[in-house]
Amino acid sequence: RKYKKRLTIICGFLICLSCGVSFINFSFSHTTYTGVVIDAKDNYYLFSSKLEKLYVYEKGHTYEIGDFLTLEGEKTDLSFAKLESDFDFKDYLNKKGVYSQLNVKKVNINFQNPLRIRNYKNNVLSNYSEDTQSLVKSLFNSGGGESEIRTNLDVMHLSRLLSASGIYLYLFLKIVKYLLSFKLKNKHSDLVCIFLTSILLFFTFPKFAIIKILTLSILRWINDYLLKKKFSYMQLLCGSAIFFLILDYHLAYQDSFILG
């Protein structure tokens, strides 16, 4: 009981500290920004420099998550046109903690991530039909082009739900665990599921739904087989939620955190 009380006090202090930090404006205007790519899409990437996240538009770029760059350019406020009932891209970026865009004039590559995962994913997807590519991108990358399957999912409001909640991965792991139960003990089948989720995360990082599932799977395995179920699932869930919010309070605004 004494241990839990101390843990509660520490968690409460960290939450208050993270909330206080959230009100501090780390935005500064420079001409040169040095930092790392934290997310990369086909036509843009997100860049983190000195505690600030920036949106950089560049069509057909080849940058990957983990690339260490020095960018020269002008920083401006985000400005995107929003049509009625259309996707609000500015709000989407704000919920990720991105409030400014950088109009880049010059790029210096200080270090390149040797694992060019985005190029590999595009090469793999190119072997499939347009409908299949759209569906896979919709589930794993929160994107995707126009297709009949994607349109039907959007009409039923299922695309965002499936992608953000990670329901598809839960179902897949349940099926895998059931099949493995015929040959392996639960302890070992759970390890196999953790391994498969780790591989998937490697190709979809930084998708939070999969990060969350992997983290909870590891915590549950440790709790069940090493700590002899010392903590309940709700305690593990709340503990991991607090941990993620301390790392990035913007997660509280994202569907992948709430729905999960």
Side-chain angles (χ1 to χ4, degrees):
R1 180 178 297 180
K2 189 175 181 180
Y3 168 77
K4 291 183 178 180
K5 185 177 180 180
R6 288 180 179 177
L7 183 60
T8 302
I9 294 174
I10 293 174
C11 290
F13 171 76
L14 292 176
I15 292 173
C16 293
L17 180 62
S18 61
C19 290
V21 171
S22 68
F23 291 101
I24 300 176
N25 185 5
F26 292 105
S27 179
F28 302 97
S29 293
H30 308 283
T31 56
T32 302
Y33 298 82
T34 299
V36 64
V37 176
I38 58 175
D39 200 359
K41 304 298 183 183
D42 291 337
N43 296 325
Y44 73 90
Y45 58 94
L46 301 184
F47 184 73
S48 178
S49 175
K50 297 180 180 178
L51 301 179
E52 182 180 15
K53 298 177 183 177
L54 300 168
Y55 165 85
V56 182
Y57 176 81
E58 185 176 340
K59 192 172 183 179
H61 70 86
T62 59
Y63 302 123
E64 296 269 1
I65 296 174
D67 286 352
F68 187 62
L69 312 174
T70 296
L71 307 180
E72 295 183 16
E74 180 184 2
K75 186 175 69 172
T76 60
D77 293 334
L78 292 175
S79 178
F80 299 100
K82 181 181 181 300
L83 302 177
E84 185 176 357
S85 300
D86 199 7
F87 177 68
D88 191 340
F89 188 57
K90 181 180 179 180
D91 180 66
Y92 168 78
L93 290 176
N94 287 163
K95 289 179 178 179
K96 285 181 170 289
V98 182
Y99 301 98
S100 304
Q101 64 185 51
L102 187 63
N103 302 314
V104 177
K105 298 178 181 178
K106 183 179 179 181
V107 179
N108 292 321
I109 301 176
N110 303 318
F111 171 79
Q112 272 192 328
N113 182 355
L115 302 175
R116 315 309 287 176
I117 301 301
R118 197 167 65 89
N119 292 336
Y120 177 77
K121 287 191 294 185
N122 291 335
N123 291 334
V124 172
L125 287 174
S126 65
N127 297 315
Y128 296 92
S129 67
E130 183 178 344
D131 282 347
T132 302
Q133 289 185 41
S134 180
L135 179 61
V136 172
K137 287 182 178 180
S138 176
L139 290 177
F140 293 102
N141 299 316
S142 300
E146 294 296 329
S147 69
E148 183 178 355
I149 295 177
R150 176 65 190 271
T151 301
N152 291 334
L153 286 174
D154 288 342
V155 169
M156 293 184 290
H157 303 286
L158 290 178
S159 178
R160 197 175 185 88
L161 173 64
L162 292 173
S163 176
S165 65
I167 292 176
Y168 58 91
L169 182 55
Y170 276 120
L171 293 176
F172 171 74
L173 294 176
K174 286 290 185 182
I175 294 173
V176 170
K177 185 175 179 179
Y178 174 75
L179 295 176
L180 291 175
S181 65
F182 292 104
K183 293 291 184 179
L184 301 175
K185 296 180 179 179
N186 288 336
K187 180 179 182 179
H188 299 131
S189 59
D190 286 342
L191 277 178
V192 173
C193 291
I194 290 174
F195 176 72
L196 293 176
T197 308
S198 301
I199 294 177
L200 181 60
L201 177 62
F202 181 76
F203 290 101
T204 59
F205 186 83
K207 186 171 179 60
F208 179 73
I210 300 178
I211 294 176
K212 177 209 64 182
I213 292 174
L214 177 60
T215 301
L216 275 176
S217 297
I218 294 175
L219 290 177
R220 292 188 72 174
W221 192 91
I222 294 174
N223 183 58
D224 290 349
Y225 303 111
L226 298 182
L227 302 179
K228 306 302 180 182
K229 298 184 177 181
K230 183 176 181 180
F231 301 99
S232 67
Y233 175 72
M234 187 59 65
Q235 288 175 318
L236 296 177
L237 183 65
C238 292
S240 61
I242 292 172
F243 172 74
F244 285 124
L245 287 177
I246 291 172
L247 290 180
D248 186 0
Y249 70 92
H250 292 102
L251 288 171
Y253 306 115
Q254 300 178 26
D255 293 341
S256 55
F257 180 85
I258 299 171
L259 293 176

